[in-house]
Amino acid sequence: IKAKINKLEKEIEEKENKIKNLQNEMLKEKYSTDYVKLKEIQDEIHQLNQEIEEKMAEWMFLGTLL
């Protein structure tokens, strides 16, 4: 169980870092008027947030088993 928890923590951290990178990407001037690209980035951020929520739920459940 501890190994799975550690794996989940790493995956969550990676996804959070990817979100930060995407948010920084959105601030770039080249995307300031590219609404299609901005929407794509926002959709990816939304998907990553959903994945994080799922992994957090699993992480919390496994934590109760320790």
Side-chain angles (χ1 to χ4, degrees), residues 3 10 13 24 27 57:
K10 184 176 185 209
E13 183 179 356
N24 287 334
L27 298 175

Side-chain angles (χ1 to χ4, degrees), residues 29-63:
E29 188 174 336
K30 66 182 178 179
Y31 297 130
S32 64
T33 58
D34 187 347
Y35 300 111
V36 173
K37 183 64 177 174
L38 288 173
K39 174 80 168 97
E40 289 173 5
I41 294 172
Q42 287 175 329
D43 289 346
E44 188 172 354
I45 289 171
H46 179 72
Q47 179 63 37
L48 287 165
N49 277 320
Q50 287 181 321
E51 292 172 14
I52 288 171
E53 286 180 27
E54 292 169 7
K55 292 187 180 300
M56 287 294 290
E58 184 179 359
W59 177 81
M60 289 187 337
F61 171 75
L62 290 173

Side-chain angles (χ1 to χ4, degrees), residues 9-22:
E9 288 173 346
K10 184 176 185 209
E11 290 173 357
I12 290 167
E13 183 179 356
E14 288 171 358
K15 289 182 186 299
E16 288 172 339
N17 287 335
K18 174 121 181 161
I19 288 172
K20 287 177 192 170
N21 290 337
L22 288 169

